[in-house]
Amino acid sequence: MSAAKPSATIRYTAMRLSIFVGCLVVAAVAVNFGIIPSGAGGSNVIWVVLLALVLSAPLSYVLLRKQRDEMSEQIVSSVDRAKARLEANRTREDSVTQ
């Protein structure tokens, strides 16, 4: 991984947040123009946020598959490196104590 390339987790999170914000804007505009009914009483903001969450979840699942796989690979390699370091430390401690 090069130093200039951002973390796969950061890229995935930023893209997921972007999809949510896009859905939030679309839901807010749709509620504002009466395309989608508004929430009851003062719950309009909560309604729009929940609607954006419901819309963005399947979109993120479908559209960000590649980024999610990259993030998963990066996490797995980080865990494997940490396990290898831990095992190396254990081996070194065992050889020192003997």
Side-chain angles (χ1 to χ4, degrees), residues 1-63:
M1 186 168 99
S2 67
K5 185 176 179 183
S7 164
T9 303
I10 292 171
R11 270 195 329 274
Y12 174 76
T13 303
M15 293 175 84
R16 178 107 194 241
L17 186 60
S18 298
I19 289 173
F20 170 73
V21 169
C23 288
L24 185 64
V25 168
V26 168
V29 168
V31 167
N32 189 41
F33 286 114
I35 298 168
I36 298 172
S38 60
S43 68
N44 199 32
V45 173
I46 295 170
W47 165 247
V48 170
V49 170
L50 288 174
L51 187 59
L53 283 170
V54 168
L55 292 173
S56 69
L59 286 173
S60 295
Y61 182 75
V62 172
L63 297 175

Side-chain angles (χ1 to χ4, degrees), residues 65-78:
R65 179 168 299 176
K66 179 183 171 207
Q67 289 78 13
R68 194 172 44 254
D69 290 344
E70 288 175 5
M71 180 179 69
S72 176
E73 289 171 8
Q74 188 179 49
I75 290 170
V76 167
S77 67
S78 295

